[in-house]
Amino acid sequence: ESVHRRWATVDLDAPVPGFSRDSEASQGMSINRWSDGVWPMTKPFFFEGQDRLLAQFLFFLLVSFALFQLFMRFCMNEWQRIYWDSIEKKNIHEFWDGMAVFALM
């Protein structure tokens, strides 16, 4: 923080005009209002615009990649279990089965 204060071009100790302990800004935002602006901002892009099919396809692709990545992480976790169990048991056949699973991943 000392670096930020040293290179900042504003006085960080000066009071902010219109901001006090009793002002609306100091109270913060309630949790149920965090996503109020998401629907009005995304509705024209995903459902009304001329590129809505592209936007929907890209959203579907993004979600698909995320789910695929989750599946691959699960597979990697299972492979690590097989690998380390085979090393602990000194089981060469189970080790090579684990290597085959790794090659498929």
Side-chain angles (χ1 to χ4, degrees), residues 7-91:
W7 295 104
T9 58
V10 295
D11 183 13
L12 298 176
D13 294 324
V16 176
F19 184 80
S20 68
R21 194 172 292 273
D22 299 326
S23 67
E24 183 181 341
S26 69
Q27 301 304 317
M29 183 185 295
S30 64
I31 292 176
N32 60 354
R33 294 193 56 212
W34 282 3
S35 62
D36 284 352
V38 173
W39 179 249
M41 188 171 57
T42 57
K43 182 181 174 189
F45 183 67
F46 282 106
F47 300 107
E48 297 171 356
Q50 65 183 13
D51 293 331
R52 69 182 184 276
L53 293 177
L54 177 64
Q56 291 170 358
F57 172 72
L58 291 175
F59 180 73
F60 173 75
L61 193 65
L62 180 68
V63 170
S64 299
F65 280 144
L67 291 174
F68 179 72
Q69 185 179 14
L70 180 66
F71 173 72
M72 288 306 292
R73 285 288 162 194
F74 172 77
C75 292
M76 188 70 168
N77 195 9
E78 286 298 309
W79 173 78
Q80 286 179 343
R81 181 186 56 81
I82 292 169
Y83 176 78
W84 289 111
D85 284 351
S86 67
I87 293 214
E88 183 180 3
K89 295 175 190 173
K90 298 180 182 172
N91 186 344

